[in-house]
């Protein structure tokens, strides 16, 4: 309450959605093994990444998150057979919609992490935090929407992976 | 009373110190003070911090507050919900609050243990608490689902761990199906000669247990069989087992052995005899096999390959040979499952510099077990590959494929003791000079270190160092015709070349080649190394994360015989206690469809992996069958009409949690915006 007065360097806030069976347990494992990662991510546990309603992601961005991490079991390892594939479809769609809304699609990250991959989880969270930090705070401007969407489709600035994602 | 915005729930917030586990990084007092002040509007009426919330005193604190403050919701900020969610739910239930009106948020595994910046960690802990508070408001009172438990148990793997578990459950009076891939139960222990450190004969202690399992009225042995499919859930699994055709009618066969005596086709036995001996095309793996019925190996049988022979059929006194027999598909209903699928030996061909497969007199540990076994191909004579020469010097290499970052990082746990046992047997039977090449000697077990001391007294030579190479390229006449072990003796700091007649590679244990596939079939997870993951590495090494599926023996990680037996018995005890409860309470996390809102689009029908959603053509609405629903929530996320509700993970709960997690930031950002304006 008292410490909002001084201007502080930008610290991104990331909301992470994890599944009960793999990625939340990966986060637990990172904890049990005392691996260190950036404190910027705040996790929400879902039963399955397939539960991820796109609304959740947009709600997070609208409520002040600078980045959103979606994490689930590796393809083929889903506790509910194949629901992570359904999340994957939504993820690709969401990246496109984000671009159209004027939000850099790179602010949404997908991470497969099995219950044994605490180290990978920790490492990727820190990496993503730095990526979002580089993007800067999310100053959402709805007017920029179309313009950015065009840019994503043609400009190489966003890197080949994102263009592929958008086209896919 | 007449306040304009009165929170609808009365929430208690409890922040755990966990000794210094949380309090060492997170300023818990600050978090609880903040929650009590800043979250007042959210309905927080009391916020406390306490040393150990999970202790009985901590739980009593919550219970007292529920009664005194009339709490309707409880948020505990402590460890992972996977550890103590049940504890705090029970505490609430004890005070008359519906257990599902509580929420455990993790500030240990996800805050204090992974962050070092105390200020940032404290801020994050506040956000996590705010998320929990916002979420818990939308919790509903729920009742767990009660499902009956089928009294039968499936045990996969008939090694010593599986046999022990089967006997324990059968003795308690419940039916067991013991499924084994090989024609006989017994597992690797049946191949061993002596067992460390007591040197009692492996077969002598194992075979009585095998016979007991074979004769027990409550145990159904399904050998030469494999699990194909697993459906259902705890208490009510439906398992499909393929019982491969033995080509022998078990009702008629007496196990007399005439068939395998008369069979003209000799086959190298690379399973039981580790490639050192022969068996026939119709065979029992070893004389004490349980069950005693032989199997025709169709790939090697002359009749199946060329169409003539049938010697076994001609000589069988009871007419038990059945060439037309087909695989049987069995459907079993069981309440619980134990996986005891064991291990396989690390293939030392992967380390070419040790020469296995290229240099004749380099043996694996399993080969040596057969060589030394009185029932083995050499009648227990330790000889070189030529079958007659007795070695005068033997080198035993430890940690082959274990504790080696090129192969497996883990310690295989049994190789040190196994190597000491080999050294003793070689010494006793041949009088040869024995060298043990080790990195560290690890003998943590009852009587284990005493055995090591005994070996030192017996005159075994210990060389500390990782062997670089085993070669037959002699550099001087003394090395001619020998295998030379090139090793750095780290205790004297010198390279040494030690010529020996025989080298034994004490190869490590690995998960079976198809362990990952099997894990997927049963819906459990593997560690990076491929061993199956237990529910808790210390406090629950027997259960898995999947309810109703338990582990026993090496499939959970390399271990010796006593530990495998103990784990088999432990898994059995757990299951027996479950069966005796007759029913099990399941999390009421299920989807349900509001028919008023359902447009009948049927999108959810195809998304459900469990076919739990049925469509009513007459009313044009879908409905979820709660018995089949597993609660993943995919349909909830996909319903375009928002007609599906995911109990325990509803949209309101998740959306409010997002808001809560970002509460601090929102406040901060608004302040900044105002300043700018």
């Amino acid at each position: 309450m008292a410490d909002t007065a001084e201007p502080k360097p930008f610290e991104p806030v990331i909301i992470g959605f994890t599944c009960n069976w793999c990625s939340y347990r990966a986060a637990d494992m990172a904890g049990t093994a005392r691996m260190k990662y950036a404190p910027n991510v705040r996790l929400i546990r879902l039963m399955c990444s397939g539960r991820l309603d796109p609304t959740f992601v947009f709600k997070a961005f609208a409520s002040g998150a600078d980045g959103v991490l979606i994490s689930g079991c590796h393809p083929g390892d889903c506790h509910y057979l194949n629901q992570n594939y359904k999340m994957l479809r939504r993820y690709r769609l969401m990246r496109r919609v984000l671009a159209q809304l004027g939000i850099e699609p790179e602010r949404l990250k997908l991470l497969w992490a099995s219950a044994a991959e605490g180290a990978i989880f920790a490492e990727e969270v820190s990496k993503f935090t730095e990526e979002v930090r580089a993007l800067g705070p999310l100053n959402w401007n709805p007017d920029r929407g179309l313009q950015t969407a065009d840019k994503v489709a043609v400009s190489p600035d966003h890197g080949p992976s994102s263009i592929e994602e958008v086209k896919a | 009373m007449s306040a304009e915005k009165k929170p609808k729930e009365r929430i208690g917030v409890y922040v755990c110190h966990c000794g210094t586990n949380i309090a060492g990084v997170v300023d818990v007092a600050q978090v609880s003070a903040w929650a009590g002040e800043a979250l007042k509007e959210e309905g927080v009426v009391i916020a406390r911090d306490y040393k150990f919330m999970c202790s009985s005193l901590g739980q009593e604190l919550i219970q007292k507050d529920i009664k005194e403050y009339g709490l309707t919701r409880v948020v505990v900020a402590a460890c992972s919900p996977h550890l103590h969610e049940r504890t705090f739910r029970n505490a609430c239930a004890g005070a008359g609050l519906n257990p599902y009106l509580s929420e455990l948020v993790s500030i240990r595994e996800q805050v204090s243990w992974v962050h070092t910046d105390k200020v940032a960690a404290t801020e994050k802990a506040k956000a996590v608490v705010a998320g929990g508070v916002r979420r818990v408001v939308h919790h509903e009172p729920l009742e767990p689902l009660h499902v009956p438990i089928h009294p039968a148990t499936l045990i996969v793997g008939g090694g010593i761990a599986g046999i022990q578990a089967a006997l324990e459950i059968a003795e308690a009076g419940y039916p067991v199906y013991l499924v084994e891939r090989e024609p006989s139960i017994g597992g690797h222990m049946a191949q061993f000669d002596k067992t460390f450190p007591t040197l009692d004969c492996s077969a002598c202690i194992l075979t009585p247990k095998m016979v007991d399992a074979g004769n027990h009225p409550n145990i159904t042995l399904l050998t030469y069989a494999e699990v194909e499919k697993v459906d259902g859930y705890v208490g009510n699994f439906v398992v499909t087992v393929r019982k491969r055709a033995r080509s022998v009618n078990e009702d008629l066969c007496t196990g007399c052995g005439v068939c395998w005596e008369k069979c003209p086709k000799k086959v190298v036995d690379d399973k039981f005899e580790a490639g050192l001996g022969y068996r026939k095309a119709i065979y029992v793996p070893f004389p004490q096999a349980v069950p005693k019925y032989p199997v025709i190996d169709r790939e090697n049988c002359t009749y199946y390959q060329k169409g003539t022979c049938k010697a076994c059929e001609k000589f069988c006194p009871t007419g038990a040979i059945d060439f037309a027999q087909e695989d049987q598909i069995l459907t079993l209903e069981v309440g619980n499952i134990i996986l005891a699928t064991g291990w396989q030996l690390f293939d030392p061909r992967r380390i070419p510099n040790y020469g296995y497969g290229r240099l004749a007199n380099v043996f694996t540990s399993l080969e040596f077990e057969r060589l030394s076994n009185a029932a083995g191909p050499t009648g227990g004579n330790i000889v070189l590959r030529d079958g007659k020469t007795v070695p005068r010097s033997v080198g035993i290499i430890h940690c082959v494929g274990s504790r080696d970052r090129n192969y497996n990082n883990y310690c295989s746990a049994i190789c040190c003791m196994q190597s000491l046992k080999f050294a003793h047997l070689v010494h006793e039977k041949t009088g040869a000079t024995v060298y043990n090449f080790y990195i560290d000697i690890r003998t943590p077990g009852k009587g284990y270190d005493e055995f090591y001391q005994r070996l030192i007294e017996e005159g075994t030579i210990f060389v500390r160092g990782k062997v670089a190479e085993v070669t037959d390229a002699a550099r001087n006449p003394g090395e001619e015709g020998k295998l030379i072990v090139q090793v750095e003796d780290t205790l004297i700091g010198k390279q040494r070349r030690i010529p020996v007649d025989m080298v034994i590679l004490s190869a490590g244990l690995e998960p079976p080649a198809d362990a990952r596939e099997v894990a997927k079939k049963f819906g459990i997870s593997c560690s990076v190394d491929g061993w199956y993951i237990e529910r808790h590495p210390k406090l629950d090494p027997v259960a898995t994360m999947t309810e109703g599926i338990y582990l026993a023996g090496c499939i959970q990680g390399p271990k010796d015989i006593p530990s495998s037996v103990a784990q088999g018995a432990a898994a059995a005890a757990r299951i027996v206690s479950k069966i005796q409860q007759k029913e099990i309470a399941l999390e009421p996390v299920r989807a349900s469809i509001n028919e008023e809102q359902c447009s009948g689009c049927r999108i959810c029908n195809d998304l459900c992996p469990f076919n739990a959603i049925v469509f009513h053509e007459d009313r044009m609405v879908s409905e979820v069958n709660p018995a089949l629903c597993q609660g993943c929530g995919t349909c909830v996320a996909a319903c375009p009409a928002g007609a599906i509700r995911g109990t325990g993970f509803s949209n309101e709960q998740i959306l409010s949690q997002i808001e809560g997690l970002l509460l601090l930031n929102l406040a901060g950002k608004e302040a900044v915006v105002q300043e700018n304006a």
Side-chain angles (χ1 to χ4, degrees), chain B residues 527-572:
Chain B
S527 69
V528 177
D529 299 316
W531 304 108
Y532 294 172
I533 299 181
E534 61 282 336
R535 185 175 279 261
H536 191 280
K538 272 144 277 177
L539 301 181
D540 202 347
V542 172
T544 64
M545 290 295 184
T546 306
E547 283 283 351
I549 298 188
Y550 298 84
L551 303 176
C554 284
I555 193 61
Q556 183 242 342
K559 55 175 68 66
D560 54 17
I561 294 168
S563 307
S564 297
V565 171
Q567 204 179 14

Side-chain angles (χ1 to χ4, degrees), chain B residues 400-560:
Chain B
V400 174
S402 311
R403 304 184 66 205
D404 183 335
R405 64 177 65 175
N406 298 312
Y407 306 101
N408 294 311
N409 283 328
Y410 56 82
C411 166
S412 287
I414 54 103
C415 329
C416 277
M417 284 305 291
Q418 165 186 277
S419 305
L420 295 177
K421 175 184 80 179
F422 292 168
H424 171 82
L425 292 173
V426 169
H427 196 82
E428 185 184 63
K429 290 189 176 182
T430 67
T433 311
V434 188
Y435 299 90
N436 264 261
F437 302 98
Y438 69 100
I439 314 178
D440 297 292
I441 291 284
R442 298 185 165 183
T443 52
K446 197 173 176 184
Y448 287 11
D449 206 65
E450 291 87 328
F451 189 69
Y452 173 38
Q453 300 305 328
R454 175 177 166 186
L455 262 286
I456 293 174
E457 279 163 27
E458 276 179 10
T460 298
I461 301 162
F462 288 88
V463 179
R464 185 176 184 276
K466 183 130 180 106
V467 172
E469 190 185 19
V470 178
T471 175
D472 57 354
R475 286 191 194 160
N476 58 52
E479 294 178 353
E480 293 288 349
K482 300 260 187 187
L483 294 172
I484 303 102
V485 180
Q486 170 85 43
V487 60
E488 183 192 1
D489 188 332
T490 58
L491 294 183
I492 56 171
K494 274 197 179 131
Q495 285 288 335
R496 291 176 71 180
R497 285 170 66 83
I498 299 177
V500 291
D501 295 324
M502 178 193 242
V503 167
I504 306 168
L505 305 178
S506 211
L509 311 190
E510 284 191 334
D514 59 350
R516 275 179 202 279
E517 258 169 70
V518 174
K520 210 172 275 180
K521 225 176 256 178
F522 288 89
I524 59 166
S525 26
C526 297
S527 69
V528 177
D529 299 316
W531 304 108
Y532 294 172
I533 299 181
E534 61 282 336
R535 185 175 279 261
H536 191 280
K538 272 144 277 177
L539 301 181
D540 202 347
V542 172
T544 64
M545 290 295 184
T546 306
E547 283 283 351
I549 298 188
Y550 298 84
L551 303 176
C554 284
I555 193 61
Q556 183 242 342
K559 55 175 68 66
D560 54 17

Side-chain angles (χ1 to χ4, degrees), chain B residues 157-192:
Chain B
I160 183 60
I163 292 174
Q164 183 69 31
L167 285 172
E168 301 277 352
I169 297 173
E171 281 296 303
Y174 301 108
V176 176
Y177 300 100
L178 183 54
V179 174
E180 167 60 48
R181 181 180 282 176
E182 299 299 322
S184 168
I185 58 170
H188 279 110
M189 195 180 160
Q191 291 174 282
F192 299 161

Side-chain angles (χ1 to χ4, degrees), chain A residues 18-21 45-49 51 79-80, chain B residues 589 630-633 649:
Chain A
T18 55
C19 76
N20 185 51
W21 304 97
R45 178 167 65 114
L46 305 172
M47 286 309 280
C48 176
S49 55
R51 174 68 183 89
H79 185 79
Y80 303 99
Chain B
V589 175
Q630 302 290 301
C632 68
F649 290 85

